[in-house]
C-alpha cells in the first residue's frame, strides 16, 4: 500500500505548501501497478460514493480539515418500504477518531447506507461537515445467515480477529458473523466455484485459488494479480494449480502444480498416468522464478502404492501442502498418499530431509514454525476404531541421519458428539498469541487451543439443507487467522516548519498490525529519481510517528514535489 502527500515547493528558505493529508487510494500491491489491474482512485473518500462493497468491516477514510483534533463518522442504515415513499432511517454508527481514517465493524449485508463525517477543533467547534454519501453492501448466498453460518460452540470474548472459510467463500469474526464474502466476478468466480485456501496477506490483500487459476484481490474483490496459467510454465504445458497458494514475504507467489508423466507400471505392460507434484514460485510479472518437481526424487517402488478395482497398478503421491521458512532457505512439501514431508533446500533443489516413517498418515498441511518444528493435521486411519485424527507438531532431527519425533499432539475426539475421525482436509496454524488454530477438516471442528491442549474457542461451519430441513456440516479445506481485513493501513499528513527548512511528517498506523514505512520525495515531473528521506517502524497498531526532515541537505530545486509513503 502506498500514498502520496502532495507538495508545492515555493522557495527553499521560505514557506512550503503541503496538502494536509494523503488522498485515499485502494489497497494496492506492486502487482496491480505493473498489470494495470486497478486504477488509483482520485476520490478522497472511502468507501467510494455510490460503491457496492462485499464486506461489513469497513475502513472509512476522509480528507483532513485544518485545526481539527477530532473527526466523527456517522453511518445511517436506510430501509425502503415496499409500495411507499417513506424511508426508515436508523443511525447505526457514531464513531470518533483523531485521524482521517476509522475502522467500523458491525455493518450488514444486503443493506444500503448513508454516511457523513464532521471535524471539530479543541474547543468542540464544528469546523466542517461533509455532504451525505451512499454505499451498499452486497447480497450474497454465502453471507446469508439463513443459508450458511459459522456456529460458535464454545465462545470466548477474548478471542479476537477473523477466520477464513474457503469452501464458504467467506471470512467470519469470532462471533460467527461473516464480515467478508467473495463477490461474483464474470469469467473469474461464481458462487458455484470451488475455492481453496483463502488468506489475508500482511499487506491486506486476499489470496485464493480456484479450479481455474490463482488470484490476489484487494478487499473489495478487485483482481490485483492472477497466475499466468497460459501453458508456458517452466515445468509442464498446463499449470494445474491445486491445494496450496501463498504470497511470500518477498512479494512473489508460490503454488502447487502437477507434472503428468505416462509410465509403465513396474513388472507389467500397463501404462499409468502419474501426477508428480511440483512447486512453482512466480514473480510480479508471472515469470516462474523457481521450480521443483517430485519426479526427480521419488522411485517407482515408492509411488506405485495401490491398485484400482480391476487390479491395475496405480501411482499416487498427492502433494497437498507446502510452507517456506522465515529466511526463505527451505521449502517443506507434504505428500498425503506417501505419508511424508520433504525438506527441500531452495538454493539447490535437493531434498535434505524426509520425514514420516509412521509418524502420520494421509496428513494435510506442512507448516514450518519459527522454532523449526512442523505443524500438520494428521487424518490417520479412518478404519481403525482405536485411532482418532490428530493435530501434530513434529521436531526435525537434531543430527544428520536422525529421526523426526512427535513433540505435541491433540486428539480430535474432543467431545462426545464426534468420533474424532476426519476422512479428509484439515489444517493447523500457529496464532500470534502462541496458540494454535486447528481446522479438523471433515470432522468438522475449528478450534483455538493453547499449548496445554485446552480448547479456548470452538466453532463449526454449517449449511442449511432444504431437503432435510436442518443444519448440516459444511467442512472447510483450510482455515486461517487474520487480525482484520486491514492488517496494513495508514494515513499521513505533512507540513513545513515556520522557516520552511524542515519537512514535518506524521504517519498514523490505522491497521491492526505492526508496520514499516519508507518515505521518499520526488519532483512532480519525475525527471529526477525519487530520494529516500526516512524509514518508519510503528510496532503497535493505532500508534503514530512524527518525523522532522531537514530539507536543505536535499538540495531541492524550486518546483512541485510529491512525498510518497510506502508500506
Amino acid at each position: 500500500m502506498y500514498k502520496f502527500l502532495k507538495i508545492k515547493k515555493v522557495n527553499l528558505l521560505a514557506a512550503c505548501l503541503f496538502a494536509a493529508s494523503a488522498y485515499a487510494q485502494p489497497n494496492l500491491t506492486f502487482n496491480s501497478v505493473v498489470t494495470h489491474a486497478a486504477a488509483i482512485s482520485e476520490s478522497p473518500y472511502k468507501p467510494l460514493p455510490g460503491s457496492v462493497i462485499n464486506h461489513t468491516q469497513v475502513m472509512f477514510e476522509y480528507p483532513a480539515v485544518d485545526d481539527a483534533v477530532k473527526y466523527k463518522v456517522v453511518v445511517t442504515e436506510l430501509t425502503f418500504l415496499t409500495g411507499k415513499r417513506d424511508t426508515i432511517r436508523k443511525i447505526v454508527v457514531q464513531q470518533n477518531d483523531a485521524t482521517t481514517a476509522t475502522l467500523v465493524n458491525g455493518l450488514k449485508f444486503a443493506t444500503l447506507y448513508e454516511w457523513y463525517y464532521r471535524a471539530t477543533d479543541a474547543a468542540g467547534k464544528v469546523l466542517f461537515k461533509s455532504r451525505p454519501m451512499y454505499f451498499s453492501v452486497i447480497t450474497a448466498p454465502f453471507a446469508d445467515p439463513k443459508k450458511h453460518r459459522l456456529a460458535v460452540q464454545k465462545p470466548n470474548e477474548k478471542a479476537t480477529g477473523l477466520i477464513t472459510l474457503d469452501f464458504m467463500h467467506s471470512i467470519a469474526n469470532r462471533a460467527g458473523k461473516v464480515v467478508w464474502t467473495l463477490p461474483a466476478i464474470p469469467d473469474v468466480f461464481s458462487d458455484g466455484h470451488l475455492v481453496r485456501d483463502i488468506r489475508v496477506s500482511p499487506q491486506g490483500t486476499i489470496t485464493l485459488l480456484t479450479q481455474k487459476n490463482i488470484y490476489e484481490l484487494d478487499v473489495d474483490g478487485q483482481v490485483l494479480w492472477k497466475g499466468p496459467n497460459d501453458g508456458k510454465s517452466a515445468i509442464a504445458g498446463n499449470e494445474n494449480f491445486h491445494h496450496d497458494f501463498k504470497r511470500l514475504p518477498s512479494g512473489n507467489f508460490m503454488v502447487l502444480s502437477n507434472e503428468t508423466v505416462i509410465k509403465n507400471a513396474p513388472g507389467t505392460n500397463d501404462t499409468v498416468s502419474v501426477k508428480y507434484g511440483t512447486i512453482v514460485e512466480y514473480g510480479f510479472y508471472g515469470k516462474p522464478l523457481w521450480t521443483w518437481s517430485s519426479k526427480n526424487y521419488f522411485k517407482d517402488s515408492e509411488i506405485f502404492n495401490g491398485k484400482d478395482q480391476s487390479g491395475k497398478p496405480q501411482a499416487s503421491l498427492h502433494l497437498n501442502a507446502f510452507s517456506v521458512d522465515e529466511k526463505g532457505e527451505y521449502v517443506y512439501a507434504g505428500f498425503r498418499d506417501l505419508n511424508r514431508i520433504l525438506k527441500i533446500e531452495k538454493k539447490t533443489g535437493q531434498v535434505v530431509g524426509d520425514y514420516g516413517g509412521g509418524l502420520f498418515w494421509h496428513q494435510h498441511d506442512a507448516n514450518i514454525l519459527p522454532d523449526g518444528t512442523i505443524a500438520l493435521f494428521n487424518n490417520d486411519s479412518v478404519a481403525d476404531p482405536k485411532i482418532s485424527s490428530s493435530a501434530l507438531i513434529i521436531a526435525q532431527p537434531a543430527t544428520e541421519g536422525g529421526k523426526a519425533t512427535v513433540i505435541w499432539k491433540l486428539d480430535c475426539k474432543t467431545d462426545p458428539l464426534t468420533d474424532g475421525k476426519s476422512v479428509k482436509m484439515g489444517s493447523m496454524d500457529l496464532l500470534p498469541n502462541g496458540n494454535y488454530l486447528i481446522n479438523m477438516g471433515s470432522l468438522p471442528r475449528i478450534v483455538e487451543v493453547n499449548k496445554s491442549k485446552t480448547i479456548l474457542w470452538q466453532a463449526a461451519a454449517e449449511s442449511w439443507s432444504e431437503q432435510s430441513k436442518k443444519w448440516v456440516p459444511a467442512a472447510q479445506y483450510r482455515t486461517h487467522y487474520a487480525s482484520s481485513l486491514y492488517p496494513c493501513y495508514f494515513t499521513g499528513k505533512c507540513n513545513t516548519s515556520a522557516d520552511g527548512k524542515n519537512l514535518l511528517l506524521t504517519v498514523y498506523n490505522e491497521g491492526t498490525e505492526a508496520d514499516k514505512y519508507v518515505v521518499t520525495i520526488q519532483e512532480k515531473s519525475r525527471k529526477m529519481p525519487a530520494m529516500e528521506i526516512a524509514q518508519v517502524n510503528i510496532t503497535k497498531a493505532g500508534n503514530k510517528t512524527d518525523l522532522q526532515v531537514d530539507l536543505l541537505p536535499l538540495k531541492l530545486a524550486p518546483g512541485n514535489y510529491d512525498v510518497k509513503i510506502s508500506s
Side-chain angles (χ1 to χ4, degrees):
M1 180 181 179
Y2 62 83
K3 295 188 176 182
F4 285 101
L5 304 179
K6 294 185 176 181
I7 309 169
K8 182 179 180 183
K9 189 173 186 305
V10 179
N11 188 299
L12 279 176
L13 298 179
C16 294
L17 302 179
F18 295 83
S21 69
Y23 60 81
Q25 296 190 41
N27 251 353
L28 299 179
T29 65
F30 182 66
N31 313 55
S32 66
V33 177
V34 300
T35 60
H36 305 287
I40 296 174
S41 168
E42 292 297 334
S43 172
Y45 297 100
K46 293 186 74 174
L48 295 177
S51 61
V52 180
I53 63 176
N54 57 308
H55 47 101
T56 61
Q57 184 181 75
V58 182
M59 185 71 76
F60 284 76
E61 191 170 356
Y62 32 86
V65 176
D66 290 342
D67 300 323
V69 299
K70 184 171 71 173
Y71 298 91
K72 185 173 186 177
V73 171
V74 179
V75 183
T76 300
E77 179 183 316
L78 304 179
T79 303
F80 295 98
L81 301 177
T82 303
K84 298 182 180 181
R85 295 184 178 181
D86 294 337
T87 301
I88 298 177
R89 303 172 59 86
K90 179 183 178 182
I91 295 177
V92 292
V93 175
Q94 297 188 75
Q95 188 160 305
N96 296 317
D97 207 301
T99 70
T100 55
T102 191
L103 183 58
V104 169
N105 292 283
L107 300 182
K108 298 190 300 186
F109 287 93
T111 304
L112 174 65
Y113 292 99
E114 175 190 274
W115 76 283
Y116 70 89
Y117 84 104
R118 70 185 186 195
T120 54
D121 63 13
K125 179 183 176 182
V126 176
L127 302 174
F128 174 81
K129 180 180 177 181
S130 74
R131 61 180 174 82
M133 292 161 282
Y134 301 87
F135 70 95
S136 60
V137 187
I138 65 171
T139 300
F142 286 106
D144 186 345
K146 295 180 180 179
K147 296 180 179 179
H148 305 277
R149 70 182 186 183
L150 181 64
V152 178
Q153 299 157 333
K154 185 172 184 178
N156 184 342
E157 292 183 356
K158 296 181 180 180
T160 60
L162 308 176
I163 305 297
T164 65
L165 305 165
D166 53 4
F167 281 3
M168 284 177 56
H169 298 194
S170 301
I171 301 174
N173 63 23
R174 294 299 193 97
K177 292 186 179 297
V178 172
V179 302
W180 181 93
T181 190
L182 180 62
I185 305 174
D187 302 320
V188 179
F189 309 109
S190 71
D191 296 331
H193 281 176
L194 177 66
V195 173
R196 275 185 172 153
D197 210 15
I198 294 177
R199 300 173 188 259
V200 180
S201 75
Q203 293 73 26
T205 61
I206 312 290
T207 60
L208 53 87
L209 62 88
T210 72
Q211 292 169 300
K212 292 184 176 181
N213 212 337
I214 49 178
Y215 299 92
E216 181 182 37
L217 314 175
D218 68 10
V219 71
D220 295 321
Q222 294 185 74
V223 176
L224 302 177
W225 186 92
K226 64 180 179 179
N229 204 19
D230 54 8
K232 298 180 181 179
S233 169
I235 292 182
N238 190 330
E239 282 74 9
N240 293 305
F241 300 133
H242 64 90
H243 284 93
D244 205 342
F245 170 53
K246 297 179 179 72
R247 187 185 202 273
L248 302 179
S250 64
N252 295 338
F253 299 90
M254 190 171 282
V255 65
L256 299 182
S257 183
N258 281 320
E259 180 180 5
T260 301
V261 178
I262 305 299
K263 305 195 71 169
N264 287 322
T268 74
N269 293 322
D270 295 326
T271 57
V272 178
S273 176
V274 181
K275 288 185 176 181
Y276 284 98
T278 64
I279 308 173
V280 184
E281 179 180 355
Y282 290 103
F284 294 133
Y285 296 95
K287 180 181 178 180
L289 303 178
W290 181 84
T291 60
W292 181 87
S293 175
S294 59
K295 180 183 69 175
N296 304 318
Y297 180 72
F298 291 114
K299 301 175 183 178
D300 286 355
S301 58
E302 297 173 289
I303 66 173
F304 282 89
N305 46 19
K307 295 182 179 181
D308 63 16
Q309 293 179 348
S310 66
K312 182 178 179 179
Q314 294 293 301
S316 181
L317 294 79
H318 201 96
L319 173 62
N320 65 9
F322 77 90
S323 63
V324 185
D325 71 327
E326 288 185 325
K327 294 182 179 180
E329 296 176 342
Y330 298 97
V331 178
Y332 295 78
F335 292 82
R336 187 197 70 180
D337 289 356
L338 300 180
N339 312 312
R340 289 155 76 178
I341 293 175
L342 304 185
K343 179 181 181 180
I344 305 160
E345 186 178 44
K346 200 163 182 282
K347 180 173 62 176
T348 64
Q350 297 298 308
V351 175
V352 296
D354 190 337
Y355 312 135
L359 293 179
F360 43 82
W361 194 79
H362 274 206
Q363 81 285 353
H364 286 76
D365 250 358
N367 282 330
I368 181 67
L369 303 183
D371 64 358
T373 59
I374 302 171
L376 61 95
F377 186 76
N378 180 26
N379 298 80
D380 221 316
S381 173
V382 177
D384 191 336
K386 297 179 182 178
I387 294 178
S388 299
S389 300
S390 57
L392 301 181
I393 295 178
I394 63 173
Q396 300 183 63
T399 58
E400 187 176 351
K403 293 184 177 181
T405 56
V406 175
I407 60 172
W408 190 92
K409 178 180 180 179
L410 176 73
D411 194 300
C412 289
K413 192 170 175 57
T414 56
D415 60 69
L417 299 178
T418 173
D419 61 2
K421 293 183 179 294
S422 177
V423 178
K424 55 186 178 180
M425 302 180 285
S427 58
M428 181 177 180
D429 287 346
L430 176 67
L431 295 174
N433 62 8
N435 296 334
Y436 303 110
L437 179 69
I438 300 168
N439 165 38
M440 298 182 183
S442 61
L443 197 53
R445 297 285 189 279
I446 304 169
V447 301
E448 178 180 346
V449 59
N450 61 19
K451 288 182 169 60
S452 300
K453 303 177 186 178
T454 301
I455 294 178
L456 305 175
W457 177 87
Q458 178 171 305
E462 298 176 336
S463 296
W464 178 256
S465 171
E466 282 294 335
Q467 184 176 2
S468 60
K469 300 298 181 184
K470 65 179 182 180
W471 290 98
V472 297
Q476 305 300 298
Y477 186 78
R478 277 198 184 94
T479 61
H480 300 291
Y481 169 87
S483 59
S484 75
L485 297 179
Y486 303 90
C488 159
Y489 202 95
F490 66 92
T491 57
K493 66 179 181 180
C494 62
N495 211 323
T496 51
S497 57
D499 58 8
K501 296 181 179 181
N502 295 293
L503 173 68
L504 308 177
L505 180 71
T506 301
V507 181
Y508 300 94
N509 183 354
E510 310 279 5
T512 50
E513 297 180 12
D515 206 352
K516 296 180 180 180
Y517 311 94
V518 175
V519 184
T520 59
I521 189 168
Q522 186 174 24
E523 201 274 328
K524 195 171 182 63
S525 68
R526 305 295 193 266
K527 293 180 180 179
M528 300 295 291
M531 291 185 291
E532 182 178 314
I533 58 175
Q535 291 189 10
V536 184
N537 185 11
I538 304 182
T539 58
K540 188 175 180 181
N543 283 12
K544 70 172 184 175
T545 293
D546 295 313
L547 299 173
Q548 180 172 304
V549 180
D550 188 353
L551 293 172
L552 291 180
L554 300 181
K555 298 180 180 180
L556 302 177
N560 294 315
Y561 289 81
D562 285 338
V563 168
K564 180 181 179 181
I565 307 173
S566 302
S567 168

